[in-house]
Amino acid sequence: MSAPDACRTTLEIDSQPETWRRVTDSVGGFAAALPRRGERVAVVGCGTSWFMALAYAQLRESGGHGETDAFAASEFPTGRTYDRVLAITRSGTTTEVLDLLASVKGTVPTAAITADPKTEVMELADAVAVLDFADEESVVQTRFATTVIALLRAHLEAEGALPDGVLPMDRAIADAERAVATPLAPEVCAAEQFTFLGTGWTYGLALEAGLKMREAAGAWTESYPAMEYRHGPISITGPGRVAWLFGAAPQGLADDVDRVGGTFVAASGDAADALDPLADLILAQRLAVVIAQGRGYDPDRPRNLTRSVVLDHGQD
Ligand SMILES: N[C@@H]1[C@@H](O)[C@H](O)[C@@H](COP(=O)(O)O)O[C@@H]1O
């Protein structure tokens, strides 16, 4: 398979080790916008940002930093009480996120993580972490999303609240450097269907990997918690189809995929040279570009998508 052209999305994907390093080195400067130990926090977003919210909620709660729920911004349960609402939004313009921040303003402290300091989210949130160095031209989010997790993870690490088994950011960055340079298996690049699996915080990564493949490549993907795989999703696996696991493998899962003729991928599994799961997401992002280009799609111009969704309430 010929090397993909260096499209905009690829340049952004390949720059992730650098943006993770930058955010890790400056984590203290963002502390005002980040959850304090013991706070009960709701994290919200849309699309990729929702999946990053899910990943962070699991990381924070399992690290003992405090109770954390994650919601698609449109599904926030009004009536629940939180100590803080944290919004993740690259654009700072997504209608559901802004509506939610406006609706809770004054009743609960709010914070946001965004890439663009010139948007309405700056006024709506009480505190904002601006990751402008991780902003992207692409419609499809890659580097902003993972840099948000790098920030939140580095913050948990600094607070002594990194869950057992989750690597410090220095190790994750070294793995990200490996991930941008690792060749993708031709068998995986040629597959027709992908099921992404994860557990705990890596379930959010599995959801995001599936979304990336749909957004950039129009691919048929599904994402599930790893233990749910045998409860139905396995029925669609077979030759030419991939089951891609983020994180440690549940006992016997590789054998189950093998038995039905599928391809099992577990670069962040149990092997001695396993990648950090967030670095493994870089492989999935790169795969999305390769599949898109193989199908004649331009990953920089995905079908039917806009960079952010701004709804006109007047036309409801
Ligand atoms: N097509 C984009 C998605 O790729 C993005 O994940 C989502 C959230 O955007 P933001 O993080 O800017 O709020 O908006 C749109 O749906």
Side-chain angles (χ1 to χ4, degrees), residues 19 37 68 77 130 157 160 182 187 211 219 246 265 313:
T19 56
R37 185 183 281 277
T68 320
V130 178
E157 188 180 335
T182 302
E187 187 187 1
L211 178 65
F246 287 90
V265 177
H313 289 313

Side-chain angles (χ1 to χ4, degrees), residues 46-49 89-91 94 139 141 215 305-309:
C46 296
T48 292
S49 295
T89 173
R90 177 182 67 174
S91 63
T94 298
V139 170
Q141 286 200 39
E215 284 189 326
L305 291 173
T306 49
R307 194 171 177 281
S308 83
V309 176

Side-chain angles (χ1 to χ4, degrees), residues 3-172:
D5 296 338
C7 61
R8 192 67 230 166
T9 308
T10 293
L11 296 176
E12 290 162 357
I13 289 171
D14 288 352
S15 70
Q16 288 171 104
E18 204 180 302
T19 56
W20 296 9
R21 163 65 60 206
R22 188 157 167 186
V23 87
T24 299
D25 286 349
S26 50
V27 61
F30 298 109
L34 304 182
R36 321 280 195 264
R37 185 183 281 277
E39 281 181 343
R40 194 155 177 267
V41 175
V43 194
V44 301
C46 296
T48 292
S49 295
W50 171 34
F51 296 150
M52 297 303 103
L54 283 166
Y56 172 58
Q58 288 279 357
L59 269 177
R60 179 172 184 260
E61 191 152 322
S62 57
H65 201 256
E67 276 181 44
T68 320
D69 295 326
F71 303 101
S74 56
E75 298 291 331
F76 184 79
T78 52
R80 289 230 196 139
T81 314
Y82 289 97
D83 299 319
R84 181 185 294 259
V85 173
L86 172 64
I88 301 173
T89 173
R90 177 182 67 174
S91 63
T93 59
T94 298
T95 300
E96 299 95 305
V97 173
L98 297 184
D99 282 356
L100 173 62
L101 287 173
S103 73
V104 300
K105 198 171 174 60
T107 65
V108 58
T110 58
I113 306 174
T114 190
D116 188 346
K118 299 182 298 299
T119 64
E120 212 184 324
V121 79
M122 302 299 291
E123 277 128 58
L124 281 174
D126 300 326
V128 184
V130 178
L131 309 186
D132 48 354
F133 56 87
D135 201 1
E136 299 162 297
E137 284 176 30
S138 297
V139 170
V140 173
Q141 286 200 39
T142 54
R143 125 180 124 186
F144 175 74
T146 63
T147 305
V148 168
I149 294 298
L151 166 66
L152 294 166
R153 220 169 123 173
H155 180 246
L156 292 177
E157 188 180 335
E159 300 253 311
L162 212 49
D164 287 345
V166 177
L167 296 175
M169 276 311 297
D170 267 0
R171 294 271 307 280

Side-chain angles (χ1 to χ4, degrees), residues 211-236:
L211 178 65
K212 229 59 320 175
M213 299 281 292
R214 290 192 296 277
E215 284 189 326
W220 173 21
T221 66
E222 312 216 356
S223 301
Y224 298 94
M227 292 303 286
E228 285 295 306
Y229 181 66
R230 298 173 174 111
H231 294 284
I234 191 169
S235 60
I236 53 158

